[in-house]
Amino acid sequence: MTEKRSKKGKIYPKSSQPYKRRTEEEMNKILVQIQNEGLSKRTACLKYGINRNTLSLFILKQSAAQIMINDTVDLTSIMNDNQKNTTLIRKVKELSAELEKSKLKVLTLETMIEVAEEDLNIKIRKKSGTKQLKK
């Protein structure tokens, strides 16, 4: 009546070096197997001894690289002159707005430093004449 329950055996990766750093080519081969041959991520991780987070991160990096490659196609070659001008004007406005935000941020930070130096007597800015001690 008192039978011992058998515990489920933990599945260990087949790789003898689970912490080995994989090359781009090895990871690309694994990705090809996942995409073309229908190998699941979990099975690939067990088969090659890769952490699932590492595999997911590599897949994310590869998809981001594909997006960057696709974005490098020059869209302005397809557009007519009016569309190019509109696009460039929009881009100039966006960059101008970002520049204004950056200038405002710098002004705010400089004001905070001045207030801290005056009110709290904290020396934040480095004096130009001081020399650094060499260790």
Side-chain angles (χ1 to χ4, degrees):
M1 294 264 165
T2 58
E3 295 178 11
K4 291 185 179 179
R5 292 184 184 176
S6 62
K7 293 182 180 180
K8 281 188 174 180
K10 188 173 183 182
I11 301 172
Y12 292 101
K14 292 183 180 178
S15 174
S16 61
Q17 300 172 335
Y19 302 108
K20 175 184 169 188
R21 185 173 296 270
R22 304 291 196 265
T23 63
E24 291 276 330
E25 290 123 17
E26 287 176 319
M27 294 300 283
N28 285 329
K29 287 178 185 176
I30 296 169
L31 283 182
V32 166
Q33 284 190 347
I34 290 172
Q35 292 170 349
N36 298 339
E37 299 175 11
L39 188 67
S40 70
K41 289 182 188 178
R42 183 170 188 230
T43 308
C45 291
L46 291 174
K47 183 177 180 181
Y48 295 104
I50 302 171
N51 186 316
R52 63 185 163 86
N53 293 330
T54 304
L55 183 62
S56 297
L57 182 64
F58 188 77
I59 291 171
L60 182 67
K61 285 181 182 179
Q62 288 299 103
S63 58
Q66 286 296 325
I67 290 171
M68 292 299 291
I69 289 170
N70 294 341
D71 284 348
T72 56
V73 175
D74 190 18
L75 296 177
T76 57
S77 62
I78 303 169
M79 298 177 182
N80 63 25
D81 290 337
N82 190 21
Q83 290 173 333
K84 286 180 186 178
N85 289 338
T86 307
T87 305
L88 292 175
I89 289 170
R90 186 181 320 123
K91 189 69 173 175
V92 167
K93 286 182 181 179
E94 290 173 4
L95 292 174
S96 297
E98 288 181 28
L99 180 63
E100 287 300 318
K101 286 180 185 176
S102 297
K103 285 181 180 179
L104 186 61
K105 184 176 179 180
V106 167
L107 180 65
T108 305
L109 292 173
E110 287 179 356
T111 305
M112 287 174 54
I113 289 172
E114 289 174 7
V115 168
E117 286 180 341
E118 291 174 4
D119 294 346
L120 304 174
N121 295 326
I122 299 172
K123 300 294 180 186
I124 297 174
R125 290 193 176 106
K126 181 180 171 183
K127 293 180 183 176
S128 60
T130 60
K131 296 180 181 178
Q132 298 292 321
L133 296 175
K134 294 183 180 179
K135 293 182 179 181

